[in-house]
Amino acid sequence: MEKNFDRAVLEDLLKRRFFYIPSFEIYQGVSGFYDFGPPGCSVKQNVISTWRQHFIIEESMLEVDCAILTPEIVLKASGHTERFSDLMIYDTVTKEVFRADQLLTEILKTRLKDEKLDEQLRKEYEEIIAQADCYKEKEMHELFQKHKILSPNNNPLSEPVPFNLMFSTFIGPTGTTKAFLRPETAQGIFVNFRRLLGYAGGKVPFAVAQIGNAFRNEISPRSGLLRVREFTLAEIEHFVSPDRKQHEKFKRVAEMELTLFPQKQQLSDGKTIGMKVKDAVDQGIINNQTLAYYMARTHLFLIKLGIKPEGLRFRQHLKHEMAHYASDCWDAEILTSYGWVECVGHADRSCYDLKAHTKVSKTELSVFEQFDEPRMEKAYQAKPVMQKIGREFQKKARLISNHLKQMNSEDAENLKKNIENDGKAKIEIESEEFELAKDHVEFSLEDVKINGRNFVPGVIEPSFGIGRIIYAVFEHSFSVREDDKRRGFFRFTPAVAPVKCSILPLSSNTDFDPLIQKIQSKLTLLGISTKLDTTSTTIGKRYARTDEIGIPLAITVDFDSLNDESVTLRDRDSTKQVRGNYSDIIDSVFQIIQGSLTWEEVTKKFPAFNRPSDKD
Amino acid sequence: MEKNFDRAVLEDLLKRRFFYIPSFEIYQGVSGFYDFGPPGCSVKQNVISTWRQHFIIEESMLEVDCAILTPEIVLKASGHTERFSDLMIYDTVTKEVFRADQLLTEILKTRLKDEKLDEQLRKEYEEIIAQADCYKEKEMHELFQKHKILSPNNNPLSEPVPFNLMFSTFIGPTGTTKAFLRPETAQGIFVNFRRLLGYAGGKVPFAVAQIGNAFRNEISPRSGLLRVREFTLAEIEHFVSPDRKQHEKFKRVAEMELTLFPQKQQLSDGKTIGMKVKDAVDQGIINNQTLAYYMARTHLFLIKLGIKPEGLRFRQHLKHEMAHYASDCWDAEILTSYGWVECVGHADRSCYDLKAHTKVSKTELSVFEQFDEPRMEKAYQAKPVMQKIGREFQKKARLISNHLKQMNSEDAENLKKNIENDGKAKIEIESEEFELAKDHVEFSLEDVKINGRNFVPGVIEPSFGIGRIIYAVFEHSFSVREDDKRRGFFRFTPAVAPVKCSILPLSSNTDFDPLIQKIQSKLTLLGISTKLDTTSTTIGKRYARTDEIGIPLAITVDFDSLNDESVTLRDRDSTKQVRGNYSDIIDSVFQIIQGSLTWEEVTKKFPAFNRPSDKD
């Protein structure tokens, strides 16, 4: 962020130039929804296509595009219907609703401002605030009681109750199929795991990506784009063998230095540490190569968008913060005027989701790994004693004996133990239960040829909140010129800039039209977005206007251009200008945007030009 | 479509190669939802980015990205809560639900198969089928009664009732803010009209585009991707002055020939006509230049995607078919195995939507057009007679007199007429009604200087159903080789192809790895998506596999490549091969995909290569 950064100035610019505004503005809106206007929409597209190139293309990922509306059974299986909730609490008089952890935090923060506050209490408040979003219903209620917290209107509050954050609806005309708007894109990937595995050739590791909208019915959305009810996610599910989380491209990032904020530092001195990726893995700070590889790739991606490295850190989740599916998690946090904001999560979801869906859908979501050579192993085998089984179970005897014959070693060993301990054991076959006694089954330990093994893969999930990243890019790109402090502008990188090049004729004289058309056609053909400004304002004011939406380059056409087709090219960041033939200039514009030519190099290729200046 | 096209073969390929499948397959799915797997997702992305280049970039449109969840008030204003419905009817015994028009059509079609059917009745049935989706509740009920239609189970049916096709939910924790998933993206553009007009410099014409998901709770979805409950739309709202619908780029398309199916031909000989765009406008067949311009641009877009011109026509809506907001409409229809399918609508929505939102939101959604020179016009002016008004209306007198003074000419003239006719007239100010008598107000006709006029712009809307277009592209690109009829493949254009180039080493020998890595890196750097197939299958079989997902080009690396870095390039459509240095070959691949080099030209640049062939 710039020194003297003023959020109000940024927000005014974002709204005035229609980067984004609250949705349904003419109907006074609904909080938590934003519409992207032309420059914002373009920035969003650019962020997404940079992401697609950086992750999907460069890492050869499989991309999918799955349904948003998701039937209840899927989100029941994944645990979302039960656990995807925040605690809400309401003023018993006005019925106003609050998110319990937010209300708690705000009130305790106010109390902390009191300098006479008891030291013991101060410490207690600070600890509560640090983990406010982790308390369960009962703990939360006790805290509200203990600290005598009332509503902002000084009324008594209800008990906190969990409020599920998913929007629900019904599919079909009969109103019987309940469904939700997906709260994340990941489930679409998990339910398609079998087909994706087949597409990937039946082997892990492979990675699947999805970019799309997700929805969370936040109790009280706030902080602009940072906490909204409808948002775009870009998610990767990288499937690995649970005992082999190495990454084949790890050496490419091993020497990179990341700013880390591990659990240990958070719980001690609160300071981040700079560390080489390979050291962090070697020392067990980052759990495995794959997780670390993605963190490094995320770092590169964010820098590419214009995030400043000094405003970027990776914070490890504390134990109690972890989502219900995660076993380890590192957030890429970006420093903004709202503080450090979580923009990308890197979670190790372990085998949670695939196991959950296997259980409910009865579809095996696992990988069969063939050994290079078959192995001989000792394995337990269960042998049905047909005579006894036949007598006791009659028509079901064949079912039971087949089940026993097909039992794998682990299950057979378990059954053996249970029968040995209790003299009997229950088994379930096709939802029916049978009780087996000692004389129904015999066990043996035999040498068996094992061709391979079945396993449920682990999942490493980098998940990008596109809206939050865009907001962070706005703050990190926002700038003010020394000589014009009233007006801010954006130093967007060429990849992010909503429009790449503006075209400014010196005046609205129609003599300029043919050349302008030539310039515009050539730029468009090269896929370079342009903005033509033919208003009669001075060139200086028009430069300021294109700066406001962060256009990196401007081509100016003047009366000399009509003689020799020469034009001026202006660089937004340095405000310097060069002069050259329009066709050569456009070739350079293309190369600058592609990243293969710097402005420095441009100034060596073309003569400098000093009139008209930004002040005109 | 190919001769001997077999939809089952296509569908098998689409599913087997994971182009798309029913969503939530492992949970037996919910009808009307599809997930795009890797090749399908890539085709979808390619169609969307071709669309963005063809329309947004080339036509300098403003792109926006608005919320999907839309509060009730917005869709009440637009007429969707009241009118966006289909008629449903149910079996009174089994409670099975049907879409009334579909059931009616199916049953009458079955009856039509009876050769002994009375000629009069045959004609009546055919007429009913042709407009089945246009009947209102009462008419539909009468038809079911008159023709004694029972459910497929031979049970009595309920009366038809309208079923609103929007999915509903509630925003926020209190459950009081009702909202819908948007049924089209257009409303997001209309509610932002004021800001968009400002962004466009305050003048029409300008066009706004939006690409995004929309949702319709179809009563009984069917025909795969053609009628689904969640789908992607790409919509353009082109705002014009209602009396100036010319288009400045019209001459660029004026000479193009389109296949038209106007109302007149539909109601007479049922034959399409080939016609130049300019003639269609001159003869009043297509209402205006802007509508015609977009139809021509749509034609070019669809051809670019690989739609065959002979399978493309523009059908004008008959009067009774028009949506509630449309005043004229032409559908781009594509011939598929399901018949002619509406894929793009070109509707003249006139001023309907902006007026509707102005009324409910009380926000003026109009354009002020400044005249080049002020005009002197005769205008009525209302002059309050203060003494009389003061006496009668007391405290409200000032309010009323101000209102009268500010009245525009049209309103003043109306008031004058009403008072002259009835001796009195009612006026409404700030929701309060007042009755004025003859002696409260005087009127005069005066010369006034008019600087400009306010008008509500008309809207021309081209609306693209991306899923339907993709399905049509699949059918039009699907092909079978003379010498291998069992297996189909896709002749995707380079723009559409999900993967642009495959890389096939002759064997899985690791000696190939360094060269393969060089090739892959260079292609990736150029943004060309690749698929590496290192399986030990024969080259011929691997070609067949890449053909199945429509990869247009294949680079093969063999043992000679290790000596001189030469590789083979194979063209999918001709199955011909050439040989050259890998770097030169990749440059040609780039140019072919960019559309600046043809295969014909490639065969002249490089020597032909005849081994190993497709048969190996």
Side-chain angles (χ1 to χ4, degrees), chain A residues 11 20 32-34 221-229 338 471:
Chain A
E11 282 180 346
Y20 64 92
F33 296 90
Y34 289 89
R222 45 172 70 181
S223 315
L225 286 187
L226 299 185
R227 190 166 292 279
V228 293
R229 288 170 165 155
Y338 292 99
Y471 181 76

Side-chain angles (χ1 to χ4, degrees), chain A residues 289-325:
Chain A
Q289 283 192 358
T290 298
L291 197 57
Y293 179 75
Y294 277 112
M295 288 164 63
R297 292 287 296 161
T298 295
H299 176 94
L300 293 171
F301 168 69
L302 293 173
I303 299 302
K304 211 182 261 185
L305 298 182
I307 295 299
K308 295 177 182 167
E310 63 273 21
L312 173 60
R313 72 179 187 190
F314 290 85
R315 190 179 71 80
Q316 190 173 27
H317 276 205
L318 296 174
K319 294 276 177 244
H320 63 261
E321 279 181 290
M322 232 79 84
H324 68 266
Y325 46 73

Side-chain angles (χ1 to χ4, degrees), chain B residues 335-403:
Chain B
L335 187 60
T336 72
S337 60
Y338 293 98
W340 287 95
V341 174
E342 167 201 347
C343 290
V344 187
H346 303 82
D348 187 335
R349 292 176 82 129
S350 68
C351 316
Y352 175 85
D353 300 273
L354 293 179
K355 282 189 174 161
H357 286 297
T358 299
K359 201 171 153 198
V360 180
S361 72
K362 313 278 184 217
T363 305
E364 199 64 46
L365 302 177
S366 63
V367 178
F368 178 75
E369 180 186 37
Q370 182 138 20
F371 297 141
D372 292 340
E373 287 187 10
R375 299 177 192 164
M376 296 308 291
E377 283 183 11
K378 294 280 180 201
Y380 280 95
Q381 291 205 320
K383 290 181 189 165
V385 181
M386 277 313 292
Q387 209 187 7
K388 307 270 181 178
I389 289 181
R391 196 174 306 148
E392 176 148 357
F393 297 103
Q394 309 280 345
K395 281 185 188 160
K396 298 284 184 181
R398 177 168 297 275
L399 182 74
I400 294 169
S401 69
N402 283 343
H403 180 83

Side-chain angles (χ1 to χ4, degrees), chain A residues 364 366-369 452-456:
Chain A
E364 199 65 45
S366 64
V367 178
F368 178 75
E369 181 186 37
R453 60 166 190 150
N454 250 307
F455 65 87
V456 179

Side-chain angles (χ1 to χ4, degrees), chain A residues 577-615:
Chain A
Q577 301 175 63
V578 297
R579 185 91 184 180
N581 173 273
Y582 87 94
S583 181
D584 301 335
I585 289 283
I586 291 175
D587 289 340
S588 293
V589 168
F590 180 73
Q591 289 173 306
I592 294 171
I593 289 163
Q594 293 288 303
S596 60
L597 188 75
T598 64
W599 178 254
E600 194 61 30
E601 288 161 351
V602 171
T603 59
K604 284 169 194 157
K605 264 172 86 169
F606 299 100
F609 186 76
N610 296 315
R611 172 193 54 88
S613 86
D614 272 34
K615 297 281 102 190

Side-chain angles (χ1 to χ4, degrees), chain B residues 71-86:
Chain B
E72 187 176 30
I73 187 170
V74 176
L75 293 158
K76 222 173 204 167
S78 68
H80 284 85
T81 57
E82 197 184 327
R83 284 190 292 265
F84 196 70
S85 53
D86 280 341

Side-chain angles (χ1 to χ4, degrees), chain A residues 25 44 65 68 195 230, chain B residues 25 44 65 68 195 230:
Chain A
E25 199 186 19
K44 184 175 169 186
D65 183 3
I68 289 173
R195 288 197 177 265
E230 178 175 336
Chain B
E25 198 186 20
K44 184 175 169 184
D65 182 3
I68 288 173
R195 288 197 178 265
E230 178 175 336

Side-chain angles (χ1 to χ4, degrees), chain A residues 21 24-25 27 35-36 38 44-45 52 63 65-69 77 168-169 172 192 195 217 230 357, chain B residues 21 24-25 27 35-36 38 44-45 52 63 65-69 77 168-169 171-172 192 195 217 230 357:
Chain A
I21 55 156
F24 320 112
E25 199 186 19
Y27 290 100
D35 287 354
F36 288 92
K44 184 175 169 186
Q45 284 313 317
R52 191 172 264 127
E63 187 178 356
D65 183 3
C66 305
I68 289 173
L69 268 177
S168 69
T169 189
N192 284 311
R195 288 197 177 265
N217 194 6
E230 178 175 336
H357 286 297
Chain B
I21 55 155
F24 321 112
E25 198 186 20
Y27 291 100
D35 288 354
F36 288 92
K44 184 175 169 184
Q45 285 313 316
R52 192 173 263 126
E63 186 178 356
D65 182 3
C66 305
I68 288 173
L69 269 176
S168 69
T169 189
I171 297 172
N192 282 312
R195 288 197 178 265
N217 194 5
E230 178 175 336
H357 286 297

